[in-house]
């Protein structure tokens, strides 16, 4: 049974590689024999023309694969293996990986922290036979959930890191804070970072408010450690579940109420706009709706 056409964009790292090599990287669960048959049957096209396996491609070109149930299974196999390894994959290309980090899992390990996100991802890459190292381009606190961007190899990490330095990445959070906030606002202050005081800025919009609590959508403009938690606590509205900064910690809330709900940027390798929306985890949604007495949008 035919399914939708699959699109594979050639990245800058794959510039000059053969169509077979690019397809093998995109469908790692498939054998080379199966992929060669796709070319022989004319099921792989580029710019409307049937491709041969040895055709050399340029960055930005798109391979169109005639979909099938078997191809869909092969494309899904790496993601299923990743989820089984505790790495929920939102997106993957030759240069980058975006995973949905759960609360309670640290991005990096420590002296007493052997289970962490980078370790899980690196183990997954090793199992696939990938030899490059992966590294996070930004971080989320251990208690915060949401999408995390990782780069594959030093060159990719450098290019992705420059997106953050140029502030070309949209980072949006959802936070439940104590008290009734203004409908909208901005927070700007100096926060200590690596021995210096650095500017910290974010904007917020209240999605739901009561005298007890406000559910905020926060657009982060800088990325200082614990920035959202510290700035809102200083403004008199600490986060629920944040004992460190004076927030209320009711027994019904099992964790810090802070979730990264959107990560968006333009892929510097393919030029494609990428948007990753992560819904509010069920335990946070239930708590907020109960406390505010209204459904969460």
């Amino acid at each position: 049974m035919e399914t939708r056409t699959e699109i594979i964009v050639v990245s800058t790292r794959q510039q000059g590689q053969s169509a077979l090599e690019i397809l093998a990287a995109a469908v790692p669960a498939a054998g080379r024999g199966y992929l060669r048959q796709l070319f022989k049957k004319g099921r792989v096209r580029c710019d409307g023309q049937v491709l041969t396996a040895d055709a050399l491609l340029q960055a930005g070109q798109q391979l169109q694969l005639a979909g099938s149930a078997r191809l869909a299974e092969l494309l899904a196999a790496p993601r299923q293996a990743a989820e089984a390894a505790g790495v929920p994959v939102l997106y993957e290309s030759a240069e980058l990986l975006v995973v949905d980090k759960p609360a309670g899992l640290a991005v990096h390990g420590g002296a007493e922290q052997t289970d962490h996100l980078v370790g899980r991802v690196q183990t997954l890459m090793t199992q696939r036979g990938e030899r490059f190292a992966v590294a996070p381009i930004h971080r989320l606190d251990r208690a915060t959930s949401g999408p995390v961007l990782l780069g594959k190899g030093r060159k990719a990490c450098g290019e992705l890191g420059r997106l953050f330095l140029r502030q070309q990445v949209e980072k949006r959070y959802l936070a439940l804070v104590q008290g009734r906030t203004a409908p909208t606002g901005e927070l700007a202050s100096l926060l200590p970072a690596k021995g210096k005081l650095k500017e910290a800025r974010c904007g917020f919009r209240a999605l739901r408010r009561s005298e007890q609590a406000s559910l905020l959508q926060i657009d982060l403009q800088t990325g200082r450690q614990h920035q959202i938690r510290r700035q809102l606590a200083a403004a008199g509205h600490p986060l629920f579940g944040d004992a460190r900064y004076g927030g209320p910690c009711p027994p019904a809330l099992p964790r810090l109420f802070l979730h990264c709900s959107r990560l968006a940027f333009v892929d510097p390798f393919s030029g494609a706009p990428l948007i990753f929306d992560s819904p509010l985890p069920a335990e946070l949604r239930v708590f907020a709706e109960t406390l505010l007495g209204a459904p969460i949008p």
Side-chain angles (χ1 to χ4, degrees):
M1 179 179 177
E2 295 294 317
T3 58
R4 67 183 179 85
T5 299
E6 301 289 347
I7 304 295
I8 297 170
V9 181
V10 180
S11 70
T12 52
R13 177 187 286 181
Q14 296 170 319
Q15 172 95 6
Q17 290 185 9
S18 71
L20 178 60
E21 289 177 295
I22 293 167
L23 191 55
V27 196
R32 290 295 179 107
Y34 171 81
L35 297 179
R36 290 185 185 280
Q37 285 299 313
L38 294 181
F39 286 104
K40 289 181 179 179
K41 294 178 180 178
R43 298 174 70 86
V44 185
R45 292 174 173 267
C46 182
D47 298 327
Q49 302 296 317
V50 174
L51 275 183
T52 59
D54 58 357
L56 302 182
L57 301 179
Q58 304 301 309
Q61 288 188 289
Q62 295 184 355
L63 280 72
Q64 295 97 34
L65 279 71
S68 67
R70 175 57 178 158
L71 180 59
E73 289 177 4
L74 291 168
L75 288 167
R79 180 164 296 188
Q80 292 169 351
E83 291 174 353
V87 184
V89 175
L90 297 177
Y91 177 81
E92 184 173 5
S93 71
E95 297 84 10
L96 62 92
L97 182 71
V98 180
V99 301
D100 205 11
K101 187 188 87 65
L105 181 67
V107 172
H108 283 290
E112 299 180 359
Q113 184 67 45
T114 58
D115 182 25
H116 49 90
L117 183 66
V118 173
R120 290 186 184 184
V121 174
Q122 192 65 66
T123 298
L124 179 66
M125 294 296 109
T126 301
Q127 290 172 348
R128 291 184 184 175
E130 305 281 4
R131 297 183 179 181
F132 48 75
V134 294
I137 310 304
H138 65 118
R139 301 182 185 183
L140 294 180
D141 294 344
R142 178 175 177 174
T144 305
S145 51
V148 174
L149 170 65
L150 300 100
K152 296 180 177 181
R154 183 178 299 176
K155 183 178 179 180
C157 288
E159 194 67 35
L160 293 168
R162 283 187 278 275
L163 291 179
F164 283 83
L165 290 175
R166 295 192 294 260
Q167 297 184 357
Q168 294 175 329
V169 180
E170 180 184 356
K171 296 167 288 183
R172 179 172 294 174
Y173 291 76
L174 293 174
L176 187 71
V177 303
Q178 187 176 39
R180 188 179 185 89
T181 68
T184 61
E186 293 188 3
L187 298 173
S189 62
L190 295 176
L191 294 178
K194 297 182 179 179
K196 299 180 180 180
L197 288 176
K198 294 189 176 182
E199 183 183 22
R201 292 175 287 104
C202 68
F204 70 86
R205 178 170 69 92
L207 302 179
R208 291 283 185 271
R209 294 187 299 161
S210 72
E211 294 307 313
Q212 284 184 290
S214 300
L215 179 66
L216 303 182
Q217 175 183 291
I218 300 168
D219 289 298
L220 198 61
Q221 297 160 24
T222 56
R224 312 304 176 201
Q225 185 177 30
H226 294 181
Q227 177 182 331
I228 292 173
R229 299 163 65 181
R230 294 160 77 180
Q231 287 190 304
L232 283 165
H237 299 288
L239 273 67
F240 273 79
D242 196 355
R244 180 168 182 170
Y245 294 102
C249 299
L253 181 63
R255 50 164 289 196
L256 174 71
F257 203 118
L258 183 61
H259 175 69
C260 181
S261 60
R262 170 171 287 193
L263 185 69
F265 56 94
V266 174
D267 185 338
F269 307 101
S270 69
L274 301 177
I275 301 175
F276 305 100
D277 288 321
S278 179
L280 195 64
E283 69 273 16
L284 298 186
R285 178 176 294 276
V286 169
F287 179 81
E289 291 182 343
T290 301
L291 184 64
L292 294 169
I296 303 303

